[in-house]
mmCIF file of all heavy atoms in Angstrom:
data_model
loop_
_atom_site.group_PDB
_atom_site.id
_atom_site.type_symbol
_atom_site.label_atom_id
_atom_site.label_comp_id
_atom_site.label_asym_id
_atom_site.label_seq_id
_atom_site.Cartn_x
_atom_site.Cartn_y
_atom_site.Cartn_z
ATOM 1 N N GLU A 352 -52.977 -7.878 45.618
ATOM 2 C CA GLU A 352 -52.898 -9.137 46.359
ATOM 3 C C GLU A 352 -51.610 -9.887 46.024
ATOM 4 O O GLU A 352 -50.985 -10.494 46.907
ATOM 5 C CB GLU A 352 -54.112 -10.014 46.050
ATOM 6 C CG GLU A 352 -55.403 -9.521 46.674
ATOM 7 C CD GLU A 352 -55.370 -9.537 48.197
ATOM 8 O OE1 GLU A 352 -54.778 -10.483 48.773
ATOM 9 O OE2 GLU A 352 -55.925 -8.608 48.814
ATOM 10 N N ALA A 353 -51.214 -9.866 44.760
ATOM 11 C CA ALA A 353 -49.962 -10.523 44.370
ATOM 12 C C ALA A 353 -48.775 -9.847 45.057
ATOM 13 O O ALA A 353 -47.869 -10.529 45.577
ATOM 14 C CB ALA A 353 -49.797 -10.484 42.854
ATOM 15 N N ARG A 354 -48.758 -8.562 45.074
ATOM 16 C CA ARG A 354 -47.652 -7.849 45.723
ATOM 17 C C ARG A 354 -47.610 -8.137 47.219
ATOM 18 O O ARG A 354 -46.530 -8.291 47.806
ATOM 19 C CB ARG A 354 -47.784 -6.347 45.456
ATOM 20 C CG ARG A 354 -47.412 -5.966 44.032
ATOM 21 C CD ARG A 354 -47.638 -4.491 43.751
ATOM 22 N NE ARG A 354 -47.086 -4.121 42.441
ATOM 23 C CZ ARG A 354 -47.195 -2.912 41.904
ATOM 24 N NH1 ARG A 354 -47.880 -1.949 42.542
ATOM 25 N NH2 ARG A 354 -46.655 -2.654 40.720
ATOM 26 N N LYS A 355 -48.780 -8.222 47.848
ATOM 27 C CA LYS A 355 -48.830 -8.527 49.283
ATOM 28 C C LYS A 355 -48.241 -9.908 49.551
ATOM 29 O O LYS A 355 -47.428 -10.086 50.467
ATOM 30 C CB LYS A 355 -50.275 -8.463 49.772
ATOM 31 C CG LYS A 355 -50.436 -8.783 51.261
ATOM 32 C CD LYS A 355 -51.892 -8.730 51.691
ATOM 33 C CE LYS A 355 -52.632 -9.992 51.282
ATOM 34 N NZ LYS A 355 -54.028 -10.027 51.807
ATOM 35 N N ARG A 356 -48.628 -10.876 48.754
ATOM 36 C CA ARG A 356 -48.149 -12.242 48.978
ATOM 37 C C ARG A 356 -46.662 -12.378 48.647
ATOM 38 O O ARG A 356 -45.928 -13.108 49.322
ATOM 39 C CB ARG A 356 -48.972 -13.232 48.155
ATOM 40 C CG ARG A 356 -50.440 -13.305 48.577
ATOM 41 C CD ARG A 356 -50.625 -13.868 49.971
ATOM 42 N NE ARG A 356 -52.036 -13.990 50.311
ATOM 43 C CZ ARG A 356 -52.507 -14.661 51.354
ATOM 44 N NH1 ARG A 356 -51.661 -15.269 52.182
ATOM 45 N NH2 ARG A 356 -53.810 -14.721 51.602
ATOM 46 N N ALA A 357 -46.201 -11.692 47.610
ATOM 47 C CA ALA A 357 -44.771 -11.709 47.296
ATOM 48 C C ALA A 357 -43.972 -11.106 48.442
ATOM 49 O O ALA A 357 -42.903 -11.613 48.815
ATOM 50 C CB ALA A 357 -44.512 -10.961 45.990
ATOM 51 N N HIS A 358 -44.491 -10.022 49.013
ATOM 52 C CA HIS A 358 -43.823 -9.407 50.164
ATOM 53 C C HIS A 358 -43.798 -10.370 51.350
ATOM 54 O O HIS A 358 -42.774 -10.480 52.055
ATOM 55 C CB HIS A 358 -44.541 -8.114 50.561
ATOM 56 C CG HIS A 358 -44.007 -7.514 51.821
ATOM 57 N ND1 HIS A 358 -42.822 -6.799 51.869
ATOM 58 C CD2 HIS A 358 -44.482 -7.545 53.111
ATOM 59 C CE1 HIS A 358 -42.596 -6.407 53.107
ATOM 60 N NE2 HIS A 358 -43.588 -6.845 53.876
ATOM 61 N N ASN A 359 -44.898 -11.070 51.579
ATOM 62 C CA ASN A 359 -44.939 -12.043 52.674
ATOM 63 C C ASN A 359 -43.855 -13.102 52.513
ATOM 64 O O ASN A 359 -43.182 -13.487 53.483
ATOM 65 C CB ASN A 359 -46.305 -12.724 52.729
ATOM 66 C CG ASN A 359 -47.410 -11.822 53.228
ATOM 67 O OD1 ASN A 359 -47.161 -10.693 53.645
ATOM 68 N ND2 ASN A 359 -48.640 -12.324 53.182
ATOM 69 N N LEU A 360 -43.693 -13.600 51.293
ATOM 70 C CA LEU A 360 -42.670 -14.619 51.052
ATOM 71 C C LEU A 360 -41.273 -14.063 51.315
ATOM 72 O O LEU A 360 -40.425 -14.725 51.921
ATOM 73 C CB LEU A 360 -42.760 -15.148 49.620
ATOM 74 C CG LEU A 360 -43.891 -16.125 49.321
ATOM 75 C CD1 LEU A 360 -43.874 -16.512 47.848
ATOM 76 C CD2 LEU A 360 -43.782 -17.383 50.188
ATOM 77 N N SER A 361 -41.034 -12.837 50.870
ATOM 78 C CA SER A 361 -39.731 -12.225 51.107
ATOM 79 C C SER A 361 -39.464 -12.073 52.598
ATOM 80 O O SER A 361 -38.338 -12.286 53.070
ATOM 81 C CB SER A 361 -39.653 -10.865 50.408
ATOM 82 O OG SER A 361 -39.726 -11.015 49.001
ATOM 83 N N ALA A 362 -40.500 -11.702 53.337
ATOM 84 C CA ALA A 362 -40.346 -11.519 54.781
ATOM 85 C C ALA A 362 -40.107 -12.842 55.497
ATOM 86 O O ALA A 362 -39.586 -12.857 56.626
ATOM 87 C CB ALA A 362 -41.590 -10.838 55.350
ATOM 88 N N ARG A 363 -40.475 -13.948 54.876
ATOM 89 C CA ARG A 363 -40.290 -15.257 55.490
ATOM 90 C C ARG A 363 -38.887 -15.814 55.288
ATOM 91 O O ARG A 363 -38.540 -16.854 55.873
ATOM 92 C CB ARG A 363 -41.310 -16.253 54.928
ATOM 93 C CG ARG A 363 -42.745 -15.970 55.353
ATOM 94 C CD ARG A 363 -43.678 -17.070 54.880
ATOM 95 N NE ARG A 363 -45.070 -16.806 55.216
ATOM 96 C CZ ARG A 363 -45.612 -17.034 56.406
ATOM 97 N NH1 ARG A 363 -44.863 -17.522 57.383
ATOM 98 N NH2 ARG A 363 -46.885 -16.768 56.623
ATOM 99 N N LEU A 364 -38.065 -15.186 54.467
ATOM 100 C CA LEU A 364 -36.708 -15.697 54.247
ATOM 101 C C LEU A 364 -35.848 -15.358 55.462
ATOM 102 O O LEU A 364 -35.662 -14.191 55.794
ATOM 103 C CB LEU A 364 -36.110 -15.093 52.982
ATOM 104 C CG LEU A 364 -34.873 -15.808 52.438
ATOM 105 C CD1 LEU A 364 -35.238 -17.185 51.894
ATOM 106 C CD2 LEU A 364 -34.197 -14.987 51.341
ATOM 107 N N SER A 365 -35.343 -16.374 56.120
ATOM 108 C CA SER A 365 -34.550 -16.158 57.333
ATOM 109 C C SER A 365 -33.181 -15.578 56.988
ATOM 110 O O SER A 365 -32.751 -15.605 55.832
ATOM 111 C CB SER A 365 -34.378 -17.474 58.081
ATOM 112 O OG SER A 365 -33.517 -18.348 57.345
ATOM 113 N N LYS A 366 -32.493 -15.096 58.000
ATOM 114 C CA LYS A 366 -31.153 -14.544 57.775
ATOM 115 C C LYS A 366 -30.185 -15.623 57.294
ATOM 116 O O LYS A 366 -29.198 -15.320 56.622
ATOM 117 C CB LYS A 366 -30.619 -13.885 59.053
ATOM 118 C CG LYS A 366 -30.510 -14.792 60.254
ATOM 119 C CD LYS A 366 -29.999 -14.034 61.460
ATOM 120 C CE LYS A 366 -29.955 -14.917 62.715
ATOM 121 N NZ LYS A 366 -29.136 -16.116 62.563
ATOM 122 N N ASP A 367 -30.493 -16.887 57.621
ATOM 123 C CA ASP A 367 -29.637 -17.976 57.157
ATOM 124 C C ASP A 367 -29.886 -18.320 55.686
ATOM 125 O O ASP A 367 -29.013 -18.878 55.031
ATOM 126 C CB ASP A 367 -29.873 -19.229 58.007
ATOM 127 C CG ASP A 367 -29.383 -19.042 59.435
ATOM 128 O OD1 ASP A 367 -28.255 -18.563 59.612
ATOM 129 O OD2 ASP A 367 -30.146 -19.364 60.363
ATOM 130 N N GLY A 368 -31.100 -18.010 55.194
ATOM 131 C CA GLY A 368 -31.390 -18.244 53.789
ATOM 132 C C GLY A 368 -32.507 -19.214 53.516
ATOM 133 O O GLY A 368 -32.921 -19.366 52.368
#
Side-chain angles (χ1 to χ4, degrees):
E352 288 296 323
R354 286 176 172 177
K355 179 181 79 174
R356 295 294 183 168
H358 174 77
N359 288 354
L360 284 178
S361 295
R363 291 186 183 279
L364 196 69
S365 70
K366 59 181 177 58
D367 292 313

